[in-house]
Amino acid sequence: MKKNKILSLIMAMVMVCALLIGTQKNVQATDIPECVDGSYLTNDDSSEVTVGSKSRGIYLKSGSSNIVRAGTGKIGAGGNTVGQKVVSKITVDVTVERYVNGKWGYYTSWVETNYNSVYVSTSKTLSVPTGYYYRVYCVHYANSDVSDSYTDGIYI
């Protein structure tokens, strides 16, 4: 009789485990966003990334790139660079890229520079063709220190 109780208990546990496994959502490959050159292709409304600590130097403290959906056929794009202290020249070089035929390509760019400053920032609202992914790639300069950052792609 004791064996029957143990066997019943084991069978009940197996059934519960089978039920739990059967009701879990299976993650499909299509549920994971595609990653191209370090950027995920997303349907998010915005993306922002900040330079990590390994990219900092004597003069460069941080930098960020950002992109946001700003209406039908419009994006807000920009970036900033922050120095560790006041530097003679601090720059952010912003490039907007568009995903076409399986790769990121140049769309437009601009540069913003401040002198004898600790900070530089720039942003623009751009009208862009719809039906594409866009991302922002920035290069951050503070005197002789250089780093870069790029957002994920957002679909417009």
Side-chain angles (χ1 to χ4, degrees), residues 8-140:
S8 294
L9 183 60
I10 291 173
M11 289 303 291
M13 289 172 57
V14 168
M15 288 173 44
V16 168
C17 289
L19 181 63
L20 289 174
I21 291 171
T23 59
Q24 287 183 346
K25 179 184 176 196
N26 291 327
V27 175
Q28 303 292 326
T30 57
D31 293 338
I32 301 169
E34 182 179 355
C35 186
V36 178
D37 291 337
S39 292
Y40 288 98
L41 304 179
T42 73
N43 290 316
D44 295 343
D45 290 331
S46 65
S47 177
E48 182 172 8
V49 67
T50 300
V51 174
S53 60
K54 68 179 183 175
S55 301
R56 298 187 312 199
I58 298 169
Y59 304 107
L60 180 64
K61 182 176 182 180
S62 66
S64 66
S65 299
N66 60 68
I67 187 169
V68 62
R69 187 177 293 125
T72 304
K74 293 186 183 224
I75 60 170
N80 68 60
T81 304
V82 181
Q84 294 276 14
K85 55 188 171 186
V86 172
V87 294
S88 58
K89 185 177 179 182
I90 191 162
T91 300
V92 60
D93 184 342
V94 180
T95 301
V96 177
E97 296 180 322
R98 181 171 59 184
Y99 185 69
V100 179
N101 296 326
K103 61 183 179 178
W104 291 106
Y106 177 87
Y107 183 75
T108 190
S109 65
W110 67 95
V111 177
E112 187 74 24
T113 299
N114 284 343
Y115 297 92
N116 299 314
S117 180
V118 72
Y119 182 78
V120 65
S121 179
T122 182
S123 65
K124 291 185 179 185
T125 300
L126 305 168
S127 293
V128 297
T130 59
Y132 297 94
Y133 289 95
Y134 292 87
R135 76 173 180 179
V136 171
Y137 169 72
C138 290
V139 182
H140 310 280

